[in-house]
């Protein structure tokens, strides 16, 4: 039984999209930016988001990058059907007070679930606006008590060829990993996601647990995470290993620095015709630019 990680809707209560939109409009009028879910008051913390129109559910859950389930955008939805995410274990290791393997429900029990509407942009220059639900990574990190030596945190996706057919191909060096510097991980915008549109996260979006770092390209959003490791040294990350000249560790959106094969100045919001200007730090510069003060963002791409 899913107990707490479905945030927090038994199937009979799942909001259909029309209702969802009504509630969203109402909440907007009432001064909230994003819609609050019908959560118990104790689990509902702040809501935050942006005013851009949401990308429809069908696009959010039907146009995905998740190479473990195929490289086509429509492959994950098809191939991840039936992917079993309960029970789910997460190993916590490295520079941490108590290294251990957790049952996911125990790991996240009691953390405050929030809904956040985030713009997400992919390196291929398409973007979406997605109402995620989850909890702050920093709240989880506080619970895990990393040691003073921890400078980075690494996230590893499940590696199981039987359950993830895309891993039969050697297109990536499995398992998929991502990592953040500790201050990026502790930033209040950084979210561990367990749901979208008020529903449990579908497998193609990285169920049961994925990372969202809204000022980074989508590829910082490691999916179906089974290990969280705190390290002293900067970890290797999948895209950086695969194509080091194209993808750096930081993967910040920088419209002023071209990707070796294309410009990064513009992006296409899925569903729109005209391309938009890509904003520095994906539009979150006010909140996060100070993390990178003094760094050469041309070299640290
Ligand atoms: N995580 C894993 N394990 N495997 C992947 O292929 N693709 C990344 C990221 N996380 C990927 C992954 C990329 S390139 C993007 S753009 C986002 O997931 C897409 O997230 P979405 O499908 O939920 O929109």
């Amino acid at each position: 039984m899913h107990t707490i990680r479905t945030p927090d809707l038994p199937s009979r209560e799942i909001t259909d999209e029309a209702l969802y939109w009504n509630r969203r409009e109402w909440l907007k009028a009432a001064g909230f930016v994003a819609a609050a879910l019908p959560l118990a008051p104790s689990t509902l913390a702040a809501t935050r988001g942006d005013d851009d129109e949401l990308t429809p559910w069908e696009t959010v859950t039907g146009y995905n990058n998740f190479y473990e389930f195929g490289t086509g955008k429509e492959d994950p939805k098809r191939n991840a059907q039936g992917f079993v995410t309960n029970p789910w274990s997460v190993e916590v290791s490295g520079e941490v007070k108590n290294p251990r393997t957790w049952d996911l429900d125990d790991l996240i029990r009691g953390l405050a679930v929030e809904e956040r509407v985030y713009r997400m942009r992919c390196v291929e220059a398409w973007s979406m606006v997605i109402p995620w639900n989850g909890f702050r990574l920093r709240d989880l990190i506080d619970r895990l008590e990393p040691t003073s030596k921890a400078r980075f945190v690494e996230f590893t996706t499940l590696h199981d060829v039987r359950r993830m057919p895309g891993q039969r191909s050697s297109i990536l060096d499995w398992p998929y990993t991502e990592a953040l510097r500790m201050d990026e991980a502790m930033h209040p915008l950084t979210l561990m996601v367990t749901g979208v549109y008020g529903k449990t996260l579908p497998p193609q979006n990285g169920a049961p647990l994925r990372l969202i770092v809204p000022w980074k390209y989508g590829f910082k959003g490691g999916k179906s995470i089974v290990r969280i490791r705190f390290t002293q040294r900067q970890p290797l990350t999948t895209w950086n290993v695969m194509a080091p000249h194209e993808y750096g560790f930081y993967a910040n959106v920088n419209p002023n620095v071209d990707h070796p094969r294309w410009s990064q100045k513009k992006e296409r919001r899925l569903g729109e015709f005209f391309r938009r200007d890509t904003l520095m730090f994906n539009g979150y510069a006010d909140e996060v630019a100070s993390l990178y003060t003094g760094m050469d963002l041309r070299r640290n791409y």
Side-chain angles (χ1 to χ4, degrees):
M1 254 300 277
H2 282 272
T3 45
I4 53 169
R5 78 175 87 129
T6 311
D8 265 304
L9 308 170
S11 53
R12 69 178 179 283
E13 280 175 27
I14 279 179
T15 329
D16 74 23
E17 222 178 317
L19 246 177
Y20 184 94
W21 280 95
N22 282 339
R23 178 161 31 228
R24 195 178 147 75
E25 289 315 306
W26 182 85
L27 281 158
K28 254 188 178 169
F32 291 84
V33 185
L37 301 168
L39 304 173
S42 62
T43 59
L44 178 65
T47 58
R48 170 192 193 287
D50 75 44
D51 278 332
D52 290 5
E53 200 175 314
L54 296 181
T55 303
W57 162 267
E58 287 71 27
T59 311
V60 172
T61 62
Y63 188 90
N64 301 102
N65 269 347
F66 199 173
Y67 280 17
E68 286 83 343
F69 292 104
T71 53
K73 303 284 177 243
E74 286 160 21
D75 292 344
K77 181 176 179 181
R78 192 174 46 242
N79 296 335
Q81 292 308 315
F83 178 62
V84 176
T85 59
N86 195 16
W88 192 268
S89 300
V90 180
E91 179 194 317
V92 175
S93 60
E95 292 295 343
V96 65
K97 194 168 158 199
N98 293 312
R100 60 172 272 202
T101 297
W102 293 77
D103 174 74
L104 177 60
D105 288 339
D106 294 336
L107 181 67
I108 64 179
R109 188 180 306 279
L111 295 179
V113 177
E114 307 175 35
E115 174 175 287
R116 310 265 195 88
V117 177
Y118 279 153
R119 292 181 293 277
M120 191 162 112
R121 182 193 185 280
C122 206
V123 69
E124 297 143 345
W126 44 269
S127 61
M128 305 196 207
V129 181
I130 306 179
W132 299 109
N133 17 285
F135 45 86
R136 291 175 192 210
L137 174 57
R138 84 196 238 179
D139 291 344
L140 179 62
I141 290 178
D142 284 345
R143 166 171 296 180
L144 299 177
E145 299 185 80
T147 71
S148 58
K149 287 188 189 152
R151 292 182 51 231
F152 297 90
V153 53
E154 176 198 66
F155 303 86
T156 304
T157 294
L158 177 71
H159 189 189
D160 184 340
V161 181
R162 282 167 307 147
R163 296 164 67 193
M164 294 181 145
Q167 290 176 337
R168 283 188 211 120
S169 120
S170 52
I171 185 147
L172 293 183
D173 199 5
W174 314 109
Y176 184 102
T177 61
E178 287 291 3
L180 297 173
R181 217 170 54 191
M182 211 52 169
D183 58 343
E184 297 177 317
M186 293 298 278
H187 193 281
L189 288 181
T190 305
L191 211 61
M192 293 304 280
V193 164
T194 53
V196 67
Y197 264 111
K199 301 177 190 182
T200 303
L201 200 61
Q204 61 269 32
N205 291 93
L209 184 69
R210 61 99 48 100
L211 180 65
I212 285 291
V213 189
W215 69 96
K216 307 259 180 189
Y217 292 120
F219 60 70
K220 274 287 167 188
K223 295 178 168 183
S224 304
I225 291 166
V226 293
R227 189 172 72 165
I228 300 175
R229 189 168 69 101
F230 294 90
T231 67
Q232 211 169 350
R233 304 177 90 195
Q234 183 176 301
L236 298 174
T237 57
T238 294
W239 299 106
N240 187 214
V241 168
M242 298 311 292
H245 301 298
E246 299 192 7
Y247 308 117
F249 175 81
Y250 284 93
N252 285 323
V253 174
N254 193 337
N256 307 319
V257 179
D258 289 348
H259 180 280
R261 289 184 281 145
W262 52 73
S263 157
Q264 304 199 115
K265 286 192 171 36
K266 296 266 183 192
E267 68 194 50
R268 189 179 306 286
R269 181 72 50 83
L270 293 184
E272 290 181 355
F273 182 73
F274 292 108
R275 295 199 302 159
R276 295 171 172 248
D277 288 340
T278 287
L279 303 173
M280 195 65 194
F281 297 111
N282 206 10
Y284 297 94
D286 286 352
E287 288 101 325
V288 301
S290 62
L291 295 175
Y292 309 101
T293 306
M295 281 176 71
D296 178 352
L297 295 178
R298 244 168 221 287
R299 279 188 47 221
N300 295 286
Y301 49 93

